[in-house]
Amino acid sequence: MRFLINKIVLGLSILAALIGLVFLFWILIDLTIKGVGAIDWHIFSNDLVNNGLRNLLIGQFMLALTAVVIGVPIGMIAGIYLQEYSYGSKYAEFIRNLSDVMMSAPSIVIGVFVYAIVVNPVGHANGWAGSIALAIMMIPIVVRTTDDMLGLVPKELREAGIALGAPKYKVIFDIIIKAAKVGITTGILLAFARIAGETAPLLFTSGNSQFFTMNMNQEFPSLTVAIYNLATMPDENLVKIAWAGAFILTVFVLLINLLGRYVIREKK
Amino acid sequence: MKNVMEIKDFYFTYPKAPKPTLKNINLNIEENKITALIGPSGCGKSTLLRSLNRIQDLYPGNKYDGEILLKINDKMENILEYKKENKLIELRQRVGMIFQKPTPFPMSIFDNVAYGLKFAGIKSKSEIEGRVEKALQGAALWSEVKDRLKESALGMSGGQQQRLCIARAIAVEPEVLLFDEPTSALDPISTAAIEELVVELKERVSIAIVTHNMQQASRISDYTAFMYLGDLVEFGETEQIFLNPKEKQTEDYITGRFG
Ligand SMILES: Nc1ncnc2c1ncn2[C@@H]1O[C@H](COP(=O)(O)OP(=O)(O)OP(=O)(O)O)[C@@H](O)[C@H]1O
Ligand SMILES: [Mg+2]
């Protein structure tokens, strides 16, 4: 009897895994066929006005990079506070939980929130608002990884630094962060991969633009929002561009994820 | 006989602990001698040692009572009165510490040894280089590492790492060195090397060492303190403690009747 149940459970698990894999590969294959077919030199050298992706790729990268510049320091400082300075503080656990809840907040909610506090007062969508929304998505991930990775560094290493007459902040910045470097870097890479492909937080914040721009005070081009818009266009040519964009984005996010995993493996 | 540290009526209580972990400890650390702390697990050896450089202050909420005096410029100062971080930093420059597991920092061998120097106000590059070499020689490590000073310290063997930690500690020229079971994670050959080193070091520093190894205590120490359940049961010259203990508990412990 137990043997039979075992068989059934095993069979069901395999079936479930297969269904998941089938859809995953279906998407990937479809994306690759339609995406690769749509890629040519033209889309890299022209902006959206001329049926190209150049301004979108650069725009997406700028938005994500600015989000990293805003989000990583804030997240790391918060993580350092939680792990290194908050002994016995009642607020520490509260902040940890809050940060974890933030991690699973729907990205559209973050988009609407930033719309209310940044876009509305300014009066129009702009690049900064988009980056702020992405940074808000990133911060909890960075807080969590920094906190966890610093927690893995043995306390003897901190004590050894202090025992040599070093001030505590020096020990943290010279020794402890270095010891946790690989883990924290991986966390930041994965957080970057997570935000690089987001549409919802950008929809109401950075808007979109057909033209090449580096001015983050204006509406800002991004690949994800453009794919969202183009995909429903009647013009077949534009739909093709959307496929190319989707393919490039997927490959990019996949590569960062692989890089992150590779860094972890190298460490071990 | 001159004392570099004097512990007087000392009590220590961990945060939220109902009772003190150390009770009424009276003990002197003599200059240029090795004082061993022995006793069964949990009796408070590490706690006492860690009070001598106030390293436990890294975690808030500890309670100290009594006095721990340290000789500074021929005057005895009570280190338990230190409140500001820079006083504690000065204290740790005078009283160094080596831990049970080697604790190399994730940086080069050279940078490991030089790490404490910048906080001791030593800035000149040539002086730093001189001190690093001297410290590595003092830790009997120079000949092994002089050609790989730029390599990461994490690639060294456990015994080498522990000697690196000793070099790092003596580079800042402390007056006292505290060792908390420095050889319990090492193989016999590395252990012998560290023991030899500790004995050599007493020319320059005063030493307190916690050990579970009775042979080690009897081999290298001049004085031995036996602790039990937070009390200092017996303190005296090592020979006397091992050959002719006054207390029954001490005798039982060193003859291995309990532990
Ligand atoms: N951070 C702490 N908070 C509360 N109690 C502690 C703490 N560290 C140690 N203790 C307690 O204090 C007592 C003495 O511990 P200590 O580490 O000084 O013993 P020890 O003699 O060094 O033992 P061992 O030989 O096992 O290292 C033990 O009962 C231990 O449980
Ligand atoms: Mg101990």
Side-chain angles (χ1 to χ4, degrees):
Chain A
M1 186 62 194
R2 177 141 21 102
F3 184 72
L4 191 69
I5 294 177
N6 252 342
K7 282 262 171 187
I8 293 173
V9 171
L10 185 67
L12 285 176
S13 318
I14 290 176
L15 191 69
L18 276 179
I19 293 176
L21 281 176
V22 163
F23 277 103
L24 181 67
F25 277 99
W26 189 358
I27 293 172
L28 280 180
I29 289 167
D30 206 26
L31 188 65
T32 310
I33 292 170
K34 297 212 170 90
V36 171
I39 289 180
D40 54 26
W41 179 243
H42 177 86
I43 60 169
F44 290 109
S45 54
N46 283 281
D47 298 332
L48 187 55
V49 267
N50 300 320
N51 290 344
L53 291 175
R54 185 181 68 157
N55 69 327
L56 303 176
L57 291 168
I58 293 172
Q60 186 92 27
F61 193 70
M62 279 281 290
L63 287 174
L65 204 67
T66 311
V68 168
V69 172
I70 302 170
V72 168
I74 296 177
M76 276 186 70
I77 289 169
I80 290 169
Y81 165 76
L82 286 177
Q83 186 57 237
E84 306 288 337
Y85 286 98
S86 71
Y87 303 111
S89 155
K90 288 189 297 260
Y91 304 112
E93 249 351 85
F94 177 70
I95 296 174
R96 276 202 180 101
N97 288 332
L98 196 72
S99 167
D100 283 356
V101 170
M102 287 269 296
M103 208 178 317
S104 44
S107 49
I108 190 85
V109 173
I110 292 172
V112 173
F113 171 72
V114 174
Y115 175 83
I117 62 160
V118 184
V119 178
N120 227 3
V122 181
H124 57 85
N126 60 81
W128 294 113
S131 286
I132 290 171
L134 294 179
I136 293 177
M137 292 201 61
M138 242 188 128
I139 289 171
I141 310 177
V142 178
V143 171
R144 186 58 193 252
T145 355
T146 309
D147 188 10
D148 286 353
M149 292 302 142
L150 292 177
L152 291 179
V153 178
K155 71 180 196 326
E156 284 80 9
L157 210 55
R158 295 174 178 82
E159 294 181 355
I162 297 287
L164 280 174
K168 184 169 167 178
Y169 78 93
K170 272 287 193 183
V171 173
I172 293 170
F173 283 93
D174 294 346
I175 302 170
I176 307 306
I177 291 187
K178 235 184 210 168
K181 187 176 61 187
V182 175
I184 295 176
T185 313
T186 312
I188 291 172
L189 271 178
L190 295 181
F192 183 70
R194 169 100 168 73
I195 60 156
E198 278 291 342
T199 318
L202 297 179
L203 217 48
F204 315 121
T205 52
S206 57
N208 205 5
S209 165
Q210 307 233 311
F211 306 97
F212 182 87
T213 176
M214 283 292 193
N215 183 355
M216 306 248 308
N217 296 322
Q218 300 175 343
E219 290 216 15
F220 211 72
S222 66
L223 196 54
T224 46
V225 175
I227 292 171
Y228 173 80
N229 290 333
L230 295 177
T232 50
M233 295 272 176
D235 183 346
E236 214 164 280
N237 214 12
L238 291 177
V239 177
K240 244 180 85 183
I241 296 178
W243 277 111
F247 178 71
I248 292 169
L249 191 66
T250 307
V251 169
F252 180 69
V253 170
L254 206 68
L255 280 181
I256 300 178
N257 265 303
L258 286 178
L259 184 68
R261 269 151 237 267
Y262 173 76
V263 173
I264 298 181
R265 200 153 313 147
E266 274 299 276
K267 171 76 175 178
K268 287 170 189 160
Chain B
M1 85 181 167
K2 285 191 267 170
N3 297 327
V4 62
M5 295 190 92
E6 295 176 0
I7 302 161
K8 297 192 160 153
D9 307 328
F10 179 62
Y11 287 74
F12 179 91
T13 314
Y14 278 111
K16 297 192 187 128
K19 280 188 296 188
T21 295
L22 297 175
K23 289 159 282 185
N24 200 23
I25 307 285
N26 284 281
L27 179 71
N28 297 330
I29 311 286
E30 204 178 308
E31 272 181 11
N32 300 100
K33 294 281 190 266
I34 299 175
T35 303
L37 303 178
I38 61 170
S41 190
C43 69
K45 305 178 294 293
S46 298
T47 308
L48 179 58
L49 201 71
R50 292 163 63 83
S51 302
L52 301 182
N53 66 347
R54 307 250 326 247
I55 192 86
Q56 193 61 31
D57 281 41
L58 207 48
Y59 317 100
N62 307 298
K63 193 157 156 280
Y64 301 96
D65 283 302
E67 292 182 343
I68 296 181
L69 305 176
L70 170 67
K71 184 148 101 186
I72 295 174
N73 305 326
D74 280 317
K75 281 212 298 274
M76 299 306 273
E77 267 187 38
N78 185 0
I79 64 164
L80 298 182
E81 279 167 5
Y82 293 170
K83 298 249 148 50
K84 297 217 179 78
E85 192 183 21
N86 58 347
K87 286 303 269 183
L88 291 173
I89 286 175
E90 260 176 56
L91 167 65
R92 286 156 194 160
Q93 279 159 354
R94 292 176 191 277
V95 183
M97 184 166 226
I98 313 308
F99 299 82
Q100 178 171 2
K101 281 214 213 92
T103 51
F105 300 147
M107 46 180 91
S108 73
I109 294 172
F110 184 93
D111 290 345
N112 260 276
V113 183
Y115 189 72
L117 295 174
K118 58 183 164 193
F119 309 112
I122 296 160
K123 302 245 156 65
S124 131
K125 197 165 170 250
S126 61
E127 195 183 350
I128 291 176
E129 282 170 1
R131 287 263 212 135
V132 168
E133 175 171 349
K134 198 168 139 219
L136 284 168
Q137 258 156 2
L141 200 57
W142 176 249
S143 58
E144 287 163 64
V145 301
K146 65 173 188 289
D147 300 319
R148 42 187 278 217
L149 292 175
K150 293 271 168 288
E151 285 173 32
S152 166
L154 304 181
M156 306 168 90
S157 75
Q160 286 177 326
Q161 288 182 349
Q162 194 64 310
R163 276 181 286 151
L164 179 75
C165 293
I166 295 176
R168 199 167 68 185
I170 59 179
V172 289
E173 303 186 344
E175 280 114 62
V176 183
L177 270 185
L178 310 171
F179 290 84
D180 196 347
E181 301 184 42
T183 60
S184 64
L186 301 180
D187 64 278
I189 292 175
S190 307
T191 300
I194 302 273
E195 279 185 19
E196 197 179 318
L197 182 56
V198 171
V199 174
E200 272 170 34
L201 283 175
K202 74 173 174 174
E203 308 270 304
R204 287 186 274 163
V205 292
S206 317
I207 290 166
I209 181 168
V210 171
T211 178
H212 273 286
N213 182 330
M214 292 306 109
Q215 281 83 28
Q216 184 170 71
S218 65
R219 266 197 305 266
I220 67 174
S221 71
D222 302 291
Y223 296 95
T224 297
F226 171 65
M227 297 174 67
Y228 184 61
L229 295 178
D231 292 308
L232 180 64
V233 176
E234 190 169 355
F235 175 58
E237 292 192 16
T238 298
E239 234 183 61
Q240 177 254 309
I241 296 279
F242 278 88
L243 298 179
N244 199 7
K246 293 198 184 75
E247 303 290 330
K248 175 115 191 352
Q249 280 174 326
T250 315
E251 188 180 347
D252 287 349
Y253 182 71
I254 56 184
T255 52
R257 244 166 277 164
F258 77 86

